[in-house]
Amino acid sequence: MAAVLDQDGITAAALELVSKKGYDGLTMAALARSLGVAPSALYNHVSSKDEVLKLVEEDLMSKVDFGGFRTLPWEEAVRQWAYSYRGIFARHTPLISVIAVLPVTDAPQTLAMYEAVTEGFLRAGFPEKQIIPSIVALEAYIFGAAFDANAPADIFDSGRLADSTPHFTSAVRSLGPDQNNYPSDLAFSMGLDALITGLGALRVDQSG
Amino acid sequence: MAAVLDQDGITAAALELVSKKGYDGLTMAALARSLGVAPSALYNHVSSKDEVLKLVEEDLMSKVDFGGFRTLPWEEAVRQWAYSYRGIFARHTPLISVIAVLPVTDAPQTLAMYEAVTEGFLRAGFPEKQIIPSIVALEAYIFGAAFDANAPADIFDSGRLADSTPHFTSAVRSLGPDQNNYPSDLAFSMGLDALITGLGALRVDQSG
DNA sequence: TGAGATAAATGAACGTCATTCATTTATTGG
DNA sequence: CCAATAAATGAATGACGTTCATTTATCTCA
């Protein structure tokens, strides 16, 4: 029969659906409808909805910018990579629990990213043994920050319990004229700087 | 009618159910069964399954150990808090996407924690404006690390693509005798040290 | 050219969920 | 003691992922 469907098409349709309706709107039925096909037809090309999520994840990984590791100083490369990584997955947080536990074995785009990042760390003078833990630590931070990026502005509103949390409430108010001012971007920048400084100290050769 | 049910009982039953069957086993039907009640009866005490998750989350928050902020040097207090926080939520990752976006307004335990942590930061000499972003950054890292803690040991197995990712594959192998050795704990420790060092530098008065 | 073999799409069906609602049951307050 | 109320029931609903027997179209090869 004429192949109306393939994994690339499914991936593209899933991405478009997610961007329009969010992850709640990503159902097998909706996905099939957007492809003009019956839901059961999808199962000739993917084994489950989980596989659809993996396909989407791999596609997103290919969009993460790790090019700086070839051209920029290590600190700048990490920063560029981290911002790009967080920016992409902030809009795809439901995938994070999938990625964080997903073996890279069948994820070529993810592997390509790790290879480039590892090379960058080597060039920057990191001892081989420190590289994977450093990347893991950075990724943990990036994933956590991606969640944060979706928090509502009033997430730290202590409400009627403000009286019993005076120091916290005051610290929140100190952030800006708005009573509730969620500092997701500022926090990301601060923590990233701290990580870059702290991890950078592990380098043996600081010339990279 | 005799109140067989209340929010505390529901929370306790949900926690026990999760510890025995995981979050897949936490269904409204299973929860009701464990309480000897019909599923619909739950809705007299909680408005939705999401509220059950929020109740569980608050209960877990009360178990996070932030006592060090009253007694230990700032670095040690942060370390203790972070380890406790990660240890608890590593077994409850499905809650993380809920927490990260949940306003603290109706979460007294969470607020209590923030108040204590904020006080610790103040005592340690942090400028008020830096405190919330620092806590947010630490929390992002802790949440991301909680996901990591559940990764399988072979998550970095590059499989048949090992040849095309030589530096990465070698870096993974350098970690230990096991071919695939996932360094979740080591990574957490390294990143946490880096964050503590980097954020600690923001202090004005280093005596705390 | 024509006859399988095969890959792909269909539609009906299933089981699992969370959730709703009319009804029943037990307790409490006036 | 009665009425109001809080709480539990069981049946029903709709959404969802997934399966499967069946049909349909294309490809291969004699």
Side-chain angles (χ1 to χ4, degrees):
Chain A
M1 208 182 197
V4 182
L5 249 41
D6 60 12
Q7 289 203 341
D8 283 353
I10 291 174
T11 307
L15 264 165
E16 194 188 331
L17 194 52
V18 164
S19 79
K20 281 186 184 165
K21 312 268 184 178
Y23 277 87
D24 283 350
L26 179 58
T27 68
M28 294 302 268
L31 186 54
R33 187 162 357 104
S34 80
L35 287 159
V37 117
S40 52
L42 296 171
Y43 289 87
N44 287 316
H45 304 270
V46 294
S47 64
S48 66
K49 183 178 178 180
D50 239 62
E51 191 174 344
V52 174
L53 294 180
K54 287 176 194 172
L55 290 171
V56 170
E57 185 247 303
E58 262 286 282
D59 192 85
L60 291 174
M61 276 295 186
S62 76
K63 294 176 179 156
V64 175
D65 178 11
F66 51 81
F69 284 104
R70 294 193 171 277
T71 56
L72 299 175
W74 178 81
E75 287 88 347
E76 288 310 309
V78 171
R79 220 180 302 272
Q80 185 177 86
W81 171 62
Y83 267 92
S84 166
Y85 206 160
R86 178 186 85 131
I88 289 169
F89 282 97
R91 270 166 292 130
H92 298 272
T93 52
L95 292 181
I96 292 179
S97 39
V98 177
I99 312 172
V101 169
L102 190 70
V104 298
T105 311
D106 299 312
Q109 303 289 353
T110 307
L111 267 172
M113 181 184 81
Y114 282 139
E115 175 69 5
V117 176
T118 302
E119 277 191 73
F121 274 64
L122 282 168
R123 245 192 306 272
F126 278 83
E128 200 179 29
K129 280 188 164 188
Q130 318 269 30
I131 294 179
I132 302 296
S134 296
I135 295 174
V136 168
L138 281 164
E139 267 193 315
Y141 180 63
I142 289 162
F143 287 149
F147 281 110
D148 264 347
N150 288 337
D154 67 339
I155 188 174
F156 284 144
D157 184 353
S158 43
R160 71 194 149 67
L161 284 79
D163 288 347
S164 48
T165 58
H167 301 96
F168 171 72
T169 302
S170 171
V172 171
R173 293 223 174 100
S174 77
L175 287 175
D178 289 327
Q179 183 147 350
N180 308 303
N181 196 349
Y182 185 62
S184 175
D185 288 353
L186 172 60
F188 182 63
S189 167
M190 276 181 48
L192 184 58
D193 285 350
L195 275 170
I196 288 173
T197 304
L199 295 176
L202 301 172
R203 283 181 290 176
V204 171
D205 171 9
Q206 312 269 336
S207 69
Chain B
M1 208 183 198
V4 181
L5 250 42
D6 61 11
Q7 290 202 340
D8 283 353
I10 290 174
T11 307
L15 263 166
E16 194 188 328
L17 194 53
V18 164
S19 78
K20 283 186 182 164
K21 312 269 184 179
Y23 276 87
D24 284 350
L26 179 58
T27 67
M28 295 303 268
L31 186 54
R33 186 161 359 102
S34 80
L35 287 160
V37 118
S40 52
L42 296 170
Y43 289 87
N44 286 317
H45 305 272
V46 296
S47 65
S48 66
K49 182 177 180 180
D50 238 62
E51 191 175 343
V52 174
L53 293 179
K54 286 176 194 172
L55 290 172
V56 170
E57 185 247 304
E58 262 287 281
D59 191 85
L60 290 174
M61 275 297 185
S62 76
K63 295 175 179 156
V64 175
D65 178 11
F66 51 82
F69 284 104
R70 292 193 172 278
T71 58
L72 299 174
W74 178 81
E75 288 90 346
E76 289 309 310
V78 171
R79 220 180 303 271
Q80 185 178 86
W81 170 63
Y83 267 93
S84 166
Y85 206 160
R86 179 186 83 131
I88 289 170
F89 282 98
R91 270 166 291 131
H92 298 272
T93 51
L95 292 181
I96 293 179
S97 40
V98 177
I99 311 171
V101 170
L102 190 69
V104 297
T105 311
D106 299 313
Q109 302 288 352
T110 307
L111 266 173
M113 182 184 81
Y114 283 139
E115 175 68 6
V117 176
T118 302
E119 277 191 71
F121 273 64
L122 282 168
R123 245 193 306 271
F126 278 83
E128 199 178 30
K129 281 187 164 189
Q130 317 269 31
I131 294 180
I132 301 297
S134 295
I135 295 175
V136 168
L138 281 164
E139 266 192 315
Y141 180 64
I142 289 163
F143 288 149
F147 281 111
D148 264 347
N150 288 337
D154 67 339
I155 189 173
F156 284 144
D157 184 353
S158 43
R160 72 194 148 65
L161 285 80
D163 287 348
S164 49
T165 58
H167 301 95
F168 171 71
T169 302
S170 170
V172 171
R173 294 223 174 100
S174 77
L175 287 176
D178 289 328
Q179 183 146 351
N180 308 303
N181 196 348
Y182 185 63
S184 175
D185 288 353
L186 172 59
F188 182 62
S189 167
M190 276 180 48
L192 184 58
D193 285 350
L195 274 170
I196 288 174
T197 304
L199 294 177
L202 300 173
R203 284 181 289 176
V204 171
D205 170 10
Q206 313 269 336
S207 69

